[in-house]
Amino acid sequence: MAIKPIVFIPDPVLRQVATPVEDVNAGIRSLMDDMLDTMYDAPGIGLAAPQIGISKRVIVMDCSDDDEADAPLKMANPEIITLSDASQTMEEGCLSIPGHHGEVTRPNGVTVRYLDENNEPRELTCEGLLAVCIQHEIDHLNGVLFIDYLSRLKRDMIVRKMTKDARGQKG
Ligand code: NI
């Protein structure tokens, strides 16, 4: 298990469509563990493999409250099967776009099908924060970021700022 460096926009890996996992073997299980370590360390409530530079369809999440036991979720090849008609608006952020937030409206409930860490097919139905988190992380696997749901003005402002910061880091 290891903490990996998180990549920020405008890194092109964040805009790629990630490749499905063939099966959840030891290598993918170790990727999932590294992703959870990286996510808890950040700290964040979700992380997609492209955010550590690996363009594979793997996501991890933990939306438990601070006073609850950890509830890590590890998913390979997650697919949304149903979305609720009802929607909710929440303020979202992203570990790949640190320091920026925005309100995003998404379906309130979701059913997702995926492979767990033992390569077993599973289905999960949830709503609220976890449903938002799952949609946000699956978006990452399709090269979609939460800023894509904001106004063009706000999105351009964030991208410009992050691009400037990235240039600054390279010196
Ligand atoms: Ni994100």
Side-chain angles (χ1 to χ4, degrees), residues 23 77 129 134:
D23 67 326
N77 302 343
L129 180 62
I134 286 175

Side-chain angles (χ1 to χ4, degrees), residues 38-98:
T38 305
M39 182 193 84
Y40 286 128
D41 177 68
I45 60 170
L47 192 76
Q51 293 183 273
I52 55 166
I54 295 172
S55 195
K56 289 191 171 144
R57 302 190 82 80
V58 176
I59 60 175
V60 297
M61 288 154 293
D62 187 338
C63 289
S64 59
D65 282 334
D66 290 345
D67 58 354
E68 288 173 351
D70 285 350
L73 271 170
K74 310 172 189 179
M75 301 185 177
N77 302 343
E79 246 182 288
I80 290 173
I81 315 173
T82 54
L83 291 166
S84 66
D85 291 332
S87 60
Q88 63 181 343
T89 302
M90 277 196 197
E91 181 157 273
E92 294 189 25
C94 181
L95 294 176
S96 295
I97 316 174

Side-chain angles (χ1 to χ4, degrees), residues 43-168:
I45 60 170
L47 192 76
Q51 293 183 273
I52 55 166
I54 295 172
S55 195
K56 289 191 171 144
R57 302 190 82 80
V58 176
I59 60 175
V60 297
M61 288 154 293
D62 187 338
C63 289
S64 59
D65 282 334
D66 290 345
D67 58 354
E68 288 173 351
D70 285 350
L73 271 170
K74 310 172 189 179
M75 301 185 177
N77 302 343
E79 246 182 288
I80 290 173
I81 315 173
T82 54
L83 291 166
S84 66
D85 291 332
S87 60
Q88 63 181 343
T89 302
M90 277 196 197
E91 181 157 273
E92 294 189 25
C94 181
L95 294 176
S96 295
I97 316 174
H100 299 278
H101 298 88
E103 289 205 331
V104 179
T105 301
R106 300 180 186 269
N108 170 62
V110 63
T111 299
V112 63
R113 185 180 290 157
Y114 63 98
L115 293 172
D116 71 8
E117 69 266 38
N118 299 313
N119 203 40
E120 295 293 329
R122 283 183 183 269
E123 256 182 49
L124 174 70
T125 299
C126 58
E127 55 183 21
L129 180 62
L130 182 55
V132 167
C133 192
I134 286 175
Q135 292 173 74
H136 176 119
E137 301 312 328
I138 291 177
D139 272 355
H140 272 297
L141 306 181
N142 298 320
V144 174
L145 302 168
F146 84 88
I147 53 172
D148 300 339
Y149 299 93
L150 307 180
S151 72
R152 183 166 187 174
L153 184 74
K154 181 147 195 211
R155 179 171 63 248
D156 287 353
M157 203 184 69
I158 292 171
V159 171
R160 221 177 302 126
K161 178 83 173 42
M162 290 292 301
T163 305
K164 218 169 121 188
D165 289 353
R167 276 200 219 106

